[in-house]
Amino acid sequence: AQRVTQPEKLLSVFKGAPVELKCNYSYSGSPELFWYVQYSRQRLQLLLRHISRESIKGFTADLNKGETSFHLKKPFAQEEDSAMYYCALGFYSGGYQKVTFGTGTKLQVIP
Amino acid sequence: SAVISQKPSRDICQRGTSLTIQCQVDSQVTMMFWYRQQPGQSLTLIATANQGSEATYESGFVIDKFPISRPNLTFSTLTVSNMSPEDSSIYLCSVGRLAGVQDTQYFGPGTRLTVL
């Protein structure tokens, strides 16, 4: 079955320190992976997706099929990065497209 | 992008009653999804709602408990029927503009439901 695992419920880092939010997935097909973010009192929104190979707000994520990982990284954390981050996997099941989310990691950037 | 609104934003209900949540999108979209986010947990897909066809429910969710309507390409409703305290959750509507698993989903603000 498709699964997304985010092992850390909470990650605390100091401002200016590097950030890595871990995400591992299990899926037998070709994965489509996303990172969604939810800032305090805001709705869930897309941060980035692997197919775009983009850097958003300094964040990058590389799909490693060998390790089945899609870790989110940023070299220097900023206070405004404090938020809830969800890794997500898009896939087809029974002819329908679906998305399964990880349990989320709360990033806390300490001033 | 797509702008999505949900009504109500929150509600407190008595057990045994039903609540209908509305999801309105500012443009026509192909795919609409309903999720549940229980306290401290991740998002769980309830069903996919495509216009002109029956909603497709995920394992553990049934139409009698969560009937869904999708009358047009900009609107959908989710009803939580015969509620119990275990239904207390945030219910989220999301949309995809395109068909395809690489498509971005856009989320509504959520409806926070408390069942007493």
Side-chain angles (χ1 to χ4, degrees):
Chain A
Q2 301 77 19
R3 176 173 285 190
V4 176
T5 303
Q6 294 180 251
E8 303 138 329
K9 292 190 91 169
L10 172 67
L11 181 65
S12 296
V13 300
F14 285 100
K15 177 182 173 181
V19 175
E20 183 178 51
L21 299 171
K22 290 185 167 45
C23 171
N24 288 90
Y25 67 91
S26 62
Y27 180 54
S28 57
S30 184
E32 298 290 344
L33 288 154
F34 307 81
W35 277 99
Y36 284 84
V37 60
Q38 189 167 26
Y39 300 103
S40 179
R41 293 192 171 83
Q42 295 187 29
R43 66 186 67 189
L44 195 62
Q45 60 186 289
L46 178 73
L47 178 63
L48 57 80
R49 48 185 184 156
H50 95 269
I51 196 171
S52 302
R53 296 184 176 275
E54 57 203 343
S55 173
I56 304 294
K57 299 184 179 182
F59 284 98
T60 59
D62 291 319
L63 176 62
N64 185 324
K65 291 187 177 180
E67 296 182 358
T68 60
S69 68
F70 189 57
H71 303 326
L72 184 67
K73 300 178 183 179
K74 184 170 182 176
F76 308 104
Q78 299 174 329
E79 288 181 64
E80 54 266 32
D81 296 328
S82 295
M84 195 75 183
Y85 291 80
Y86 293 94
C87 183
L89 169 70
F91 62 98
Y92 282 108
S93 177
Y96 293 92
Q97 65 186 72
K98 300 179 183 180
V99 178
T100 189
F101 286 82
T103 50
T105 299
K106 183 176 182 179
L107 175 63
Q108 183 180 60
V109 180
I110 305 165
Chain B
S1 65
V3 178
I4 303 158
S5 60
Q6 284 184 236
K7 289 182 181 179
S9 59
R10 60 177 62 223
D11 208 341
I12 300 173
C13 302
Q14 296 295 322
R15 71 168 65 216
T17 63
S18 298
L19 176 72
T20 295
I21 302 168
Q22 298 179 6
C23 177
Q24 179 75 53
V25 190
D26 68 339
S27 57
Q28 294 183 343
V29 294
T30 304
M31 311 294 291
M32 294 185 83
F33 306 89
W34 286 98
Y35 289 86
R36 181 174 72 183
Q37 186 174 25
Q38 294 180 303
Q41 297 189 29
S42 186
L43 287 75
T44 302
L45 181 64
I46 297 172
T48 303
N50 294 333
Q51 194 267 337
S53 62
E54 294 284 329
T56 304
Y57 289 83
E58 296 301 297
S59 175
F61 297 96
V62 296
I63 188 170
D64 290 345
K65 175 68 176 178
F66 297 101
I68 288 171
S69 77
R70 179 85 197 271
N72 56 53
L73 291 174
T74 64
F75 187 78
S76 177
T77 66
L78 169 76
T79 299
V80 186
S81 304
N82 188 26
M83 288 184 284
S84 67
E86 292 70 38
D87 295 320
S88 297
S89 187
I90 296 173
Y91 291 85
L92 292 158
C93 168
S94 78
V95 305
R97 299 193 67 90
L98 306 170
V101 293
Q102 72 278 15
D103 186 31
T104 301
Q105 287 196 26
Y106 300 92
F107 286 86
T111 296
R112 184 180 293 272
L113 171 62
T114 302
V115 184
L116 303 177

